[in-house]
Amino acid sequence: MTNTQGSAGPTVWLAGATGLVGREIDRLWPATGLLVRLTRRPLPARAGRIDALVPDFLAAAAFAALPQAEAAFCALGTTRAAAGSDAAFRAVDLDAVIAFGRAAKAAGVRRFALVSALGADAASANLYLRTKGEAEAALATLGFETLVIARPSLLLGERSGLGQPPRAGEALAQRLARPLAVLIPARWRPVAAADVAAALLQALAAPAPGIRVLDSAALQPGRASPR
């Protein structure tokens, strides 16, 4: 497929380009094709990328002007504390994710990758895990040829530029995670956001049909394999 800027390769959408994993997908993008970064604010210009300003993912016309695409990455997400309420949290982590998935399907996307969370379960009593599980279940009904779901444990990475309120417990966990990593079972081991991004890029570059779930064990460097 040839992108609208004339360089060979697929056109790919990225939602959540300013988040922890999304910015790593952007950084690692091989520039063989066009990466359309859906964002609420302009991002620094980089080769092989264009920005599409989407102020409201839930607006009916939000995706109308976007080019057709072959693949999409969804790295949208917030926290209950940052959102301010259960409803505001679910508007991002569920409603916006589903809206993006539907728009991607309508634009011809065949391969879709989602950043979810370890323990995601639509039947969970935990709001965060239930919401993530509901988003996964909704995307699974849209009929993508390939759906890759990353379920990382604690994400490691620099959060200072994300515009989120500080989370003291998470900062402490990140400091302890690396020296104690060998003692933590692989499934629960924290994983760097850059490794999640690399695993998703690899998975969509060599797609297999159906739904693939990558947990933290599979997301560690060199271990991206389906569960």
Side-chain angles (χ1 to χ4, degrees):
M1 182 175 180
T2 301
N3 70 43
T4 57
Q5 304 242 314
S7 61
T11 295
V12 177
W13 291 2
L14 169 61
T18 58
L20 201 58
V21 176
R23 71 186 180 190
E24 293 296 334
I25 292 173
D26 183 21
R27 182 179 67 83
L28 295 170
W29 177 250
T32 52
L34 180 67
L35 185 66
V36 182
R37 303 180 297 187
L38 283 66
T39 176
R40 291 186 174 88
R41 62 180 185 273
L43 300 172
R46 303 181 71 179
R49 295 134 170 101
I50 63 169
D51 290 344
L53 295 181
V54 180
D56 182 2
F57 276 74
L58 301 181
F63 309 97
L66 297 184
Q68 294 282 296
E70 182 176 316
F73 295 95
C74 184
L76 294 170
T78 184
T79 64
R80 168 60 176 77
S85 70
D86 291 0
F89 164 70
R90 285 174 64 82
V92 175
D93 282 57
L94 180 61
D95 300 338
V97 169
I98 294 172
F100 178 66
R102 288 174 175 163
K105 181 64 177 177
V109 166
R110 299 182 297 110
R111 297 173 284 138
F112 193 96
L114 171 70
V115 180
S116 184
L118 184 66
D121 183 348
S124 176
N126 177 278
L127 172 69
Y128 183 81
L129 298 180
R130 181 173 70 255
T131 301
K132 293 295 188 182
E134 289 173 351
E136 292 183 8
L139 291 174
T141 69
L142 296 182
F144 293 109
E145 291 181 19
T146 297
L147 174 60
V148 180
I149 298 170
R151 290 180 182 167
S153 180
L154 174 68
L155 281 169
L156 303 177
E158 178 51 57
R159 297 177 183 271
S160 59
L162 298 183
Q164 298 176 352
R167 288 174 271 178
E170 188 172 79
L172 176 61
Q174 288 212 47
R175 286 197 298 272
L176 295 174
R178 285 189 173 89
L180 297 177
V182 295
L183 303 177
I184 303 172
R187 172 176 168 77
W188 301 97
R189 191 173 301 157
V191 59
D195 292 330
V196 177
L200 290 178
L201 283 162
Q202 177 186 334
L204 287 199
I211 299 174
R212 301 174 64 192
V213 177
L214 305 175
D215 64 14
S216 276
L219 292 167
Q220 303 295 335
R223 296 187 61 183
S225 58
R227 180 175 65 79

